[in-house]
Amino acid sequence: MPAPTVPPAAGLAPAGSFALRGDVARPATLTVADLRRGWEQHRVEVVFDCATAGPRHHTFAGPLLREVVAVAHPRFDPARRKERSRFLIAVDGGDGHHALLSWAEIDADFGDAPVLLATRMDDRDLDGDGPQLVVPSDRCGARYVSAVTGIWIGPLRLAGTLPSEG
């Protein structure tokens, strides 16, 4: 696994890289090359329905999101399932798209979804574009985020209790 660097002061990652930040012990900045060198590369073939262009077929390769975000050491006790299950992962893309996942979706004890941070798309390296968030279980591509610039990890904090039905 590569040694992550400390993110820039403004919280923005340099071009071609992304920042891991949030309620974590080790914020980091990583590149596509780091993702390729530091983790096992998983390959998935996906089909998602594009609202304007119909079904899209793609092949992606990259590390599992859960393995990458673990290097930032989210501030929860890994042995406490309920504590882990209240954490969220927000992903920002360079094109203005965003996606939100729950930790439970990607956690092996819960949903175990093989969500990737792709380093390759259709046999093309993404070094110049930045990694892409790939959620193979999604029927539509709305949570596919291109040119990932930042990943925030943290707990859900409600200001009060949820409203009850009357």
Side-chain angles (χ1 to χ4, degrees), residues 78-134:
R80 299 187 65 196
R81 289 182 179 155
K82 288 194 183 223
E83 190 173 328
R84 292 187 331 244
S85 70
R86 68 185 181 92
F87 267 62
L88 301 173
I89 302 166
V91 180
D92 296 325
D95 60 357
H97 284 98
H98 310 281
L100 183 64
L101 297 107
S102 71
W103 189 273
E105 283 181 86
I106 64 171
D107 191 300
D109 284 340
F110 295 97
D112 199 21
V115 176
L116 299 184
L117 278 176
T119 61
R120 294 179 60 83
M121 176 180 172
D122 300 330
D123 296 321
R124 183 178 65 82
D125 288 338
L126 296 175
D127 295 77
D129 302 317
Q132 181 164 339
L133 179 72
V134 177

Side-chain angles (χ1 to χ4, degrees), residues 13-14 22 24-25 27 34 41 48-49 56 59 71 81-82 94 97 101 149 151 155:
V24 297
D34 292 333
Q41 302 295 292
F48 58 85
D49 283 326
R56 299 290 198 159
T59 302
V71 302
R81 289 182 179 155
K82 288 194 183 223
H97 284 98
L101 297 107
T149 58
I151 299 175

